Amino acid sequence: MTVGTGIKYMRLAEELRRGLRDGAWPPGTKLPTEAELAATHDLSVNTVRRALEVLAPEGSVERRQGAGTFARQAPRPPGVRRRIAVVLPERDWYFPPVIAGIETVAARTRTSIEVHTIGYGDVGWGRLERLVSGLADVDGVLVTHPGPSETAPPDHARLLHGLSVPYVLLERAPFGIGDPSEHVSTDHAGGAYLALAHLAALGHRDVALACRTGSAPSRGIREGFTQGAAALGLRVVDRFDWPLLSRWGTLEGALAAQAPFAEEVLREVRGGGATAMVCFGDVEGLALLAAADRAGVRVPGDLALVSCEDRHASTAPVPLTSVAPEKFRLGGLALETLLRRLDEPEGELRQVWLRPRLTVRESCGAAAFGARSFRPGAYGTGAYEPGAFGPGVANPS
């Protein structure tokens, strides 16, 4: 990687500062040597040395004679009551509204937050382990762990249970029925039920599901769909595991990569007689919408679509009805839960499920007058709680 034009050492200092902030080097860990940084960034050792000399007075790093350069915990700002580490898989795709909710509560409560990103899967778990081992001078941790991986879940649970400060799982369920971890999470199973209840109210009886693999919400969406269809008397034509072909990159690139699978799913769904489909997430819904357009299948005339994410749904060629997690509220409530634990160490345990919102748009044929939002109680029993359809739904993530 080559640092571009401008004052090279200042640009490198900013890049290192960003890496420190995002958790590339947790507090107490050693940075690459000057020679390694010079080789990686195609710079001279002298330029690297000047960049580190910029960071040292800020307190970002500590230079130890004969030992190297180490990441440091920044000093607590004046007037701040508490410092909270926020650990997320990423900060640009799913989590911006979550971070905004955290920041709003932090400003009101004089709380300092530091956001670290770790990635997904086994790589993310490795980074999380290194990060939590180096956390210093924080009062608590909000953590969205990397989700499914090949490592046994009990190992993951022990990693978080071993934290020396209180933590709250954010958008992640506890690891099992005996896990006492506090959490604030989206009730994805309830969201899938909301989608099916709306489709059933429109007269659809034959439904299908396409659900992204390798994603933490998928289990809850699958269980809510299966048990919700049974409760509503719907026929499930098929359930598709949608391969995660592109998590990052452009939306256009993701849609192009997923086009062949979308066309295959569409053929099977139509061949099986489904008139409505639930998709997780928006990219998968957009890919199906594009495949339908190419095949001459009308949405919603021939096939109604409901997405589960609501990131790109409103801008689709046929705007998608979508199950939308309450992300802003999720982040704020998670921080409130953690601050309450710090204030009341012996208080009751809180494990909170937030039911998502259903925003109705044109893709299911019931939004002639624009988008409408439905919240808990809009359909059927209205009193649905996690687990209402049977065992297993209570911990859907």
Side-chain angles (χ1 to χ4, degrees), residues 157-205:
R158 282 195 290 272
L159 171 62
L160 295 174
H161 294 167
L163 285 171
S164 60
V165 294
Y167 69 92
V168 170
L169 295 175
L170 170 59
E171 197 64 302
R172 293 291 186 264
F175 290 98
I177 193 168
D179 184 356
S181 299
E182 293 193 292
H183 76 95
V184 178
S185 308
T186 296
D187 175 14
H188 295 291
Y193 172 75
L194 266 183
L196 287 176
H198 181 65
L199 292 170
L202 295 175
H204 294 282
R205 311 310 302 168

Side-chain angles (χ1 to χ4, degrees), residues 97-257:
V98 177
I99 295 172
I102 294 171
E103 290 174 338
T104 298
V105 173
R108 172 168 53 82
T109 57
R110 293 187 293 122
T111 300
S112 171
I113 64 169
E114 50 190 58
V115 180
H116 304 271
T117 55
I118 54 176
Y120 289 92
D122 285 329
V123 171
W125 280 107
R127 290 175 179 167
L128 177 59
E129 185 171 9
R130 292 191 294 273
L131 175 64
V132 299
S133 66
L135 285 176
D137 298 328
V138 297
D139 299 294
V141 181
L142 292 180
V143 57
T144 305
H145 63 65
S149 76
E150 298 301 320
T151 309
D155 294 335
H156 295 160
R158 282 195 290 272
L159 171 62
L160 295 174
H161 294 167
L163 285 171
S164 60
V165 294
Y167 69 92
V168 170
L169 295 175
L170 170 59
E171 197 64 302
R172 293 291 186 264
F175 290 98
I177 193 168
D179 184 356
S181 299
E182 293 193 292
H183 76 95
V184 178
S185 308
T186 296
D187 175 14
H188 295 291
Y193 172 75
L194 266 183
L196 287 176
H198 181 65
L199 292 170
L202 295 175
H204 294 282
R205 311 310 302 168
D206 303 296
V207 296
L209 172 70
C211 200
R212 183 185 304 164
T213 59
S215 183
S218 296
R219 177 174 171 239
I221 292 171
R222 290 190 191 98
E223 291 181 345
F225 180 90
T226 299
Q227 297 182 45
L232 294 163
L234 307 180
R235 181 176 76 94
V236 177
V237 172
D238 213 335
R239 301 175 186 82
F240 298 92
D241 291 326
W242 196 293
L244 185 59
L245 299 179
S246 177
R247 188 185 293 279
W248 310 118
T250 65
L251 177 60
E252 292 76 13
L255 292 177

Side-chain angles (χ1 to χ4, degrees), residues 2-353:
T2 302
V3 177
T5 60
I7 304 176
K8 292 184 177 180
Y9 78 91
M10 292 296 292
R11 291 174 64 84
L12 176 59
E14 176 56 32
E15 186 171 335
L16 295 174
R17 190 182 290 115
R18 184 166 56 250
L20 289 161
R21 183 177 62 243
D22 288 348
W25 302 287
T29 60
K30 185 178 179 181
L31 273 66
T33 66
E34 293 176 355
E36 290 169 339
L37 288 171
T40 302
H41 294 83
D42 194 21
L43 295 170
S44 69
V45 171
N46 187 55
T47 299
V48 172
R49 189 171 296 126
R50 293 185 67 188
L52 295 174
E53 288 171 352
V54 170
L55 297 178
E58 299 175 358
S60 301
V61 298
E62 178 185 3
R63 309 194 72 189
R64 302 175 189 172
Q65 185 67 32
T69 303
F70 293 80
R72 288 187 60 184
Q73 184 73 52
R76 188 183 300 258
V80 167
R81 291 180 59 226
R82 292 194 173 97
R83 183 197 300 277
I84 302 299
V86 180
V87 182
L88 306 172
E90 44 85 13
R91 61 190 301 166
D92 298 319
W93 183 265
Y94 183 90
F95 289 96
V98 177
I99 295 172
I102 294 171
E103 290 174 338
T104 298
V105 173
R108 172 168 53 82
T109 57
R110 293 187 293 122
T111 300
S112 171
I113 64 169
E114 50 190 58
V115 180
H116 304 271
T117 55
I118 54 176
Y120 289 92
D122 285 329
V123 171
W125 280 107
R127 290 175 179 167
L128 177 59
E129 185 171 9
R130 292 191 294 273
L131 175 64
V132 299
S133 66
L135 285 176
D137 298 328
V138 297
D139 299 294
V141 181
L142 292 180
V143 57
T144 305
H145 63 65
S149 76
E150 298 301 320
T151 309
D155 294 335
H156 295 160
R158 282 195 290 272
L159 171 62
L160 295 174
H161 294 167
L163 285 171
S164 60
V165 294
Y167 69 92
V168 170
L169 295 175
L170 170 59
E171 197 64 302
R172 293 291 186 264
F175 290 98
I177 193 168
D179 184 356
S181 299
E182 293 193 292
H183 76 95
V184 178
S185 308
T186 296
D187 175 14
H188 295 291
Y193 172 75
L194 266 183
L196 287 176
H198 181 65
L199 292 170
L202 295 175
H204 294 282
R205 311 310 302 168
D206 303 296
V207 296
L209 172 70
C211 200
R212 183 185 304 164
T213 59
S215 183
S218 296
R219 177 174 171 239
I221 292 171
R222 290 190 191 98
E223 291 181 345
F225 180 90
T226 299
Q227 297 182 45
L232 294 163
L234 307 180
R235 181 176 76 94
V236 177
V237 172
D238 213 335
R239 301 175 186 82
F240 298 92
D241 291 326
W242 196 293
L244 185 59
L245 299 179
S246 177
R247 188 185 293 279
W248 310 118
T250 65
L251 177 60
E252 292 76 13
L255 292 177
Q258 296 186 2
F261 188 74
E263 291 169 357
E264 177 185 343
V265 169
L266 184 67
R267 284 194 299 270
E268 295 199 28
V269 166
R270 296 289 294 152
T275 63
M277 190 164 190
V278 178
C279 310
F280 172 57
D282 282 358
V283 173
E284 290 76 3
L286 290 172
L288 280 168
L289 191 61
D293 182 63
R294 291 190 295 271
V297 175
R298 298 170 302 155
V299 175
D302 299 320
L303 182 69
L305 290 177
V306 179
S307 174
C308 299
E309 197 166 21
D310 210 30
R311 175 175 164 85
H312 301 290
S314 65
T315 60
V318 179
L320 294 169
T321 293
S322 188
V323 178
E326 300 280 9
K327 296 180 184 180
F328 182 88
R329 181 59 179 142
L330 191 87
L333 186 56
L335 181 53
E336 289 172 354
T337 300
L338 180 56
L339 295 176
R340 175 188 169 276
R341 174 58 54 200
L342 293 170
D343 289 334
E344 304 175 26
E346 303 304 320
E348 73 277 6
L349 187 73
R350 290 192 176 179
Q351 295 183 329
V352 180
W353 295 101

